Amino acid sequence: MASQPLQTGISPVAALRHFSLAAWVESWLEAERDQTGLWAPVMLGGGIAAWFLLPNPAMWAGFMLVACGLAALGALAGQGSRWGRALLVGGLLLAGGCGLIWFKSAWVAAPVLERPVVTSFSAKVERVDILAARERVRVVVTPLARPDLPPRFRVNIRENDAPSGLGAGAVIRMKARLMPPQHPALPGGYDFARRAWFDGIGATGTALGPVLVAKPSKGEAALRQRLSAHIHSRLDGGAGAIAAALATGDQGAISEADAEAMRRSGLAHLLSISGLHVTAVVGAAMLLLLKLLALSPRIALRWNVPLMAAGGGALAGIGYTLLTGAEVPTVRSCIAALLVLGGFALGREAMTLRLVATGALVVLLFWPEALVGPSFQLSFAAVTAIVALHQSRFAERWFAGREEGWGRRMLRGFMALLLTGLVVELALIPISLVHFHKAGLYGAFANMVAIPLTTFVVMPLEALALLCDVAGLGAPFWWLAGKALELLLALAHHVAGMPGAVSMLPNVPPLAFGLIVAGGLWLLLWQSKARRWGVVPLLAGIVGLWLAPVPDLLVSGDGRHIAARGSDGTVAMLRERAGDYSRAMLAESAGLDGDLAAFKDMDGARCTADFCVWRMAGRKTSAATGWTILASRSDHHVDVPLLNNACRAVDIVISDRRLPRGCTPRWLKLDRPQLNESGGVAISLSDPPALRSVRDGMSRHPWLNPRTVSPPRQWRTPERR
């Protein structure tokens, strides 16, 4: 009897299809061979993003195993082929990204304060930031001989309570109210606890009373602080605050009104030291060195003057980065500038997507947590969009230099600037909606004036003023710089106040945002016709944004702050005496560009000193079959049987206290124990209703389950001798 084959043979048709597909992929990757390296930071970032999205170590390990499996498949099945190498490298980068951020989160692990406390302590100051606009001084300190406190935390001190001699290295004594780093109060909100974990901040707080300096700082105030103080002494008000931000990155003196105007007008990027500022400093240093070195015929004839100027520009860029605090956008821009100067020294084309990819790769290797922050995303999205646009065939065809009259040349430059601004705004809108729930719509037009004004007028005048101040001759330049900055602020306020200047979106589903990012990268990083396929996920993501449910009811994590959407679209707040931060947080999460209405003015709301009850018509339902909601608004004792009867008559009950077991509404009960488990809640009263909470899919990321420390509840302050 003949033996049977151990494997099922593949049909000739299937084999032909398999080899045809492999041949097509191979030929496509061959045509895109200059672009495949651009996907290295994307794959590394994909692994980092997977770690943040997946909830527990088992899934992180599973993701890394799957990625390694892809790498093994590429190594075994695609030997000698481009698609095999792409799978191999891509799989290793995905696994490496996940492992890198996992390792970094464990490396920076530090105890976190368990509960709010009021305590006295001595501490050594690590860093001092002056927040002049808030009349506060913010210090990062290390407590001394207090193992029951986190090893590093941040405290705000009232300006009048801040002593002289407060600087890095000083030893201070204070009494402060400390609390653990805060998680988002509402779904989609800012997660300070995550950022504090990677910054090593175990608590935040406010000083209670004056701060005593036990040992003053040995040196003078940091150069950054002294330079900011000098600029404020030359320029007052908003102009001085913006000037200090441009020179040192210190935004503490910018008023909230000016900061909000800059955000709404799309000009906030000017306040964050990034590519624009580093480029201006490096370019100015190179130009100055070129002119000075060219004055010597001996140097000009015997030495490579452009190379020497490039070295001087590199030193200027590094010094400026260190001066301004070495934030991620500044470091990224400095790395990019150094790569540009290196390409210039080697005689290579400098500003390419490879340069951008290299900068992103360096930042992710050293600061992988930066991937999920708005700074990294906004910075690299803007630069990638600009470079990809100007390397495209369309830009080469329409905006390349040519022999033509000055009028047409100026018109062509104007159109190139406008198109660049529009492309950048389109690239930044989804990111702004995710992190801030709002996006400016007129930023492209505002930047057409603001960027040249800042780059070619404000910053050169400020540099000349600082240089001339050495001889006491900077006053005329400070006056001119002040007028230019006043013009910049006037532009920001005018654009911010225009109708429809800001688009609001309260809920951005992660899947929709991921599709938009994937589609945008596919369009920007490939060059062949296959890039057009990026439109598919891009449009799918936009549709996902359009269909995202809008919350009708918002409840903060402590249950005290509630916002409800009325039938006419207005959003009202339960406690009218809430602070500005709580009101702004609820308004943004509700997609409201403006202030919240008073709850007593909402249709159908009935309130007493202790409770409010109102009806809301759910979507796709009539008013008769709407939702009845009961919410507490005081800490007074309430008769339990009466409360239980009221609960049974409503659909939703919300309270910042523990409700009795007999309180059983028809659908949802949100009291203190439930909110402690879920965090803040956003409810869309659609058919069926949708509920999102801060802790959906409870993860085991380290900042959610940290090791904690806490001083005894009856801690006594040691007597001072």
Side-chain angles (χ1 to χ4, degrees):
M1 181 176 177
S3 61
Q4 297 295 324
L6 297 179
Q7 293 182 339
T8 303
I10 185 171
S11 69
V13 176
L16 181 61
R17 290 175 180 173
H18 169 75
F19 288 114
S20 297
L21 178 61
W24 181 85
V25 172
E26 187 70 15
S27 63
W28 170 56
L29 290 176
E30 176 65 26
E32 296 278 11
R33 59 186 179 276
D34 293 334
Q35 305 298 111
T36 52
L38 303 178
W39 289 88
V42 177
M43 294 295 103
L44 187 69
I48 297 171
W51 185 85
F52 281 103
L53 291 172
L54 298 175
N56 55 61
M59 299 191 74
W60 305 336
F63 175 85
M64 294 177 67
L65 288 174
V66 171
C68 290
L70 287 176
L73 176 64
L76 296 175
Q79 294 183 6
S81 63
R82 288 191 176 274
W83 70 266
R85 288 195 295 272
L87 272 182
L88 172 63
V89 176
L92 292 177
L93 285 172
L94 285 171
C98 187
L100 178 65
I101 186 63
W102 194 351
F103 171 79
K104 179 72 178 287
S105 68
W107 178 264
V108 300
V112 173
L113 193 66
E114 181 182 11
R115 55 180 173 79
V117 296
V118 175
T119 184
S120 299
F121 55 89
S122 297
K124 184 177 181 180
V125 178
E126 289 188 12
R127 176 174 174 173
V128 178
D129 292 317
I130 299 175
L131 310 178
R134 305 180 191 176
E135 298 182 347
R136 295 285 189 273
V137 176
R138 176 176 292 167
V139 294
V140 177
V141 299
T142 301
L144 302 177
R146 289 295 299 273
D148 54 350
L149 289 177
R152 190 167 182 257
F153 52 87
R154 195 179 75 185
V155 181
N156 289 331
I157 306 170
R158 284 187 292 269
E159 197 172 50
N160 295 334
D161 294 335
S164 59
L166 183 63
V171 176
I172 59 176
R173 293 174 181 166
M174 70 168 72
K175 183 178 182 180
R177 183 180 188 273
L178 302 177
M179 59 192 307
Q182 293 299 295
H183 299 283
L186 292 167
Y190 175 58
D191 192 350
F192 175 72
R194 182 179 66 196
R195 168 148 185 200
W197 178 263
F198 288 100
D199 289 344
I201 303 295
T204 60
T206 303
L208 304 176
V211 176
L212 302 179
V213 177
K215 180 181 178 182
S217 176
K218 293 182 179 180
E220 298 182 7
L223 176 60
R224 184 185 187 190
Q225 295 179 17
R226 287 186 281 127
L227 184 57
S228 293
H230 176 77
I231 293 172
H232 287 300
S233 69
R234 296 295 186 268
L235 290 176
D236 296 327
I242 300 295
L246 293 176
T248 68
D250 179 10
Q251 302 183 28
I254 301 176
S255 67
E256 182 57 32
D258 288 344
E260 181 65 13
M262 296 292 282
R263 287 192 292 266
R264 292 173 62 90
S265 61
L267 303 180
H269 65 94
L270 296 177
L271 305 179
S272 176
I273 305 298
S274 56
L276 174 67
H277 311 78
V278 174
T279 301
V281 169
V282 172
M286 285 187 63
L287 181 63
L288 182 61
L289 280 174
L290 279 172
K291 297 299 183 182
L292 290 176
L293 293 173
L295 293 176
S296 170
R298 185 174 182 178
I299 294 177
L301 293 174
R302 295 188 178 185
W303 297 84
N304 190 333
V305 173
L307 187 59
M308 296 172 64
L315 293 176
I318 294 172
Y320 185 58
T321 300
L322 296 175
L323 172 66
T324 55
E327 300 291 340
V328 170
T330 320
V331 172
R332 190 271 309 164
S333 303
C334 183
I335 292 172
L338 294 178
L339 292 172
V340 168
L341 294 174
F344 173 76
L346 296 173
R348 302 288 298 273
E349 184 181 359
M351 200 58 190
T352 64
L353 285 174
R354 288 189 177 187
L355 166 71
V356 180
T358 303
L361 201 58
V362 172
V363 171
L364 290 178
L365 286 173
F366 288 96
W367 300 278
E369 69 278 7
L371 177 77
V372 296
S375 177
F376 177 91
Q377 295 177 11
L378 292 169
S379 177
F380 277 98
V383 174
T384 303
I386 292 172
V387 176
L389 171 66
H390 286 271
Q391 284 187 345
S392 66
R393 296 172 184 173
F394 171 82
E396 292 177 354
R397 184 168 62 250
W398 286 97
F399 300 129
R402 64 195 70 188
E403 291 294 333
E404 57 186 357
W406 66 270
R408 292 180 65 87
R409 187 164 56 251
M410 289 186 63
L411 178 61
R412 195 177 297 277
F414 173 81
M415 293 302 297
L417 187 61
L418 177 60
L419 180 61
T420 302
L422 289 173
V423 170
V424 170
E425 286 300 313
L426 290 174
L428 299 187
I429 282 176
I431 302 172
S432 299
L433 292 176
V434 166
H435 294 284
F436 312 117
H437 302 291
K438 64 176 70 174
L441 299 182
Y442 304 143
F445 303 97
N447 278 289
M448 289 180 61
V449 177
I451 290 178
L453 178 65
T454 303
T455 306
F456 302 115
V457 179
V458 173
M459 293 189 70
L461 284 174
E462 192 172 347
L464 283 172
L466 290 171
L467 186 63
C468 293
D469 272 349
V470 177
L473 302 175
F477 299 106
W478 282 122
W479 184 85
L480 292 172
K483 294 301 179 183
L485 287 166
E486 289 175 3
L487 177 60
L488 178 66
L489 282 172
L491 172 67
H493 283 277
H494 175 72
V495 174
M498 294 175 65
V502 173
S503 174
M504 304 290 296
L505 189 66
N507 176 27
V508 178
L511 177 60
F513 180 63
L515 288 172
I516 291 175
V517 171
L521 288 172
W522 194 271
L523 281 170
L524 293 175
L525 300 187
W526 295 127
Q527 287 187 335
S528 64
K529 293 182 179 180
R531 69 190 302 180
R532 300 172 185 173
W533 287 104
V535 175
V536 176
L538 184 63
L539 292 179
I542 293 173
V543 172
L545 294 183
W546 184 267
L547 298 178
V550 177
D552 298 302
L553 193 62
L554 294 166
V555 184
S556 64
D558 57 5
R560 292 183 56 82
H561 301 298
I562 301 171
R565 191 180 303 275
S567 56
D568 58 352
T570 60
V571 182
M573 190 173 185
L574 180 66
R575 299 176 189 257
E576 300 174 15
R577 295 183 180 180
D580 292 339
Y581 173 78
S582 298
R583 300 181 71 88
M585 171 190 66
L586 288 170
E588 288 182 2
S589 297
L592 177 67
D593 183 23
D595 200 9
L596 297 164
F599 208 81
K600 61 183 180 181
D601 298 332
M602 194 171 73
D603 293 340
R606 304 189 309 275
C607 295
T608 65
D610 300 317
F611 285 90
C612 279
V613 62
W614 70 98
R615 289 185 63 81
M616 297 179 66
R619 296 170 196 169
K620 300 182 182 179
T621 65
S622 63
T625 58
W627 299 79
T628 305
I629 302 154
L630 176 70
S632 67
R633 58 185 306 188
S634 76
D635 297 329
H636 301 156
H637 174 73
V638 179
D639 182 68
V640 172
L642 185 63
L643 176 59
N644 290 341
N645 290 333
C647 289
R648 286 191 288 269
V650 300
D651 299 290
I652 303 172
V653 174
I654 306 168
S655 177
D656 60 344
R657 65 174 86 174
R658 179 188 292 272
L659 296 176
R661 291 185 179 181
C663 176
T664 54
R666 290 190 287 262
W667 183 58
L668 182 63
K669 177 180 177 180
L670 292 173
D671 62 350
R672 175 58 63 87
Q674 176 61 37
L675 288 170
N676 286 341
E677 293 182 5
S678 66
V681 171
I683 302 173
S684 177
L685 298 176
S686 55
D687 189 14
L691 184 147
R692 295 185 299 122
S693 71
V694 168
R695 295 175 186 167
D696 277 340
M698 294 289 290
S699 71
R700 292 178 56 190
H701 288 93
W703 58 89
L704 296 175
N705 303 279
R707 182 166 62 91
T708 59
V709 292
S710 183
R713 292 184 181 274
Q714 299 298 325
W715 180 268
R716 294 182 179 179
T717 305
E719 294 182 1
R720 295 174 184 163
R721 296 181 180 179

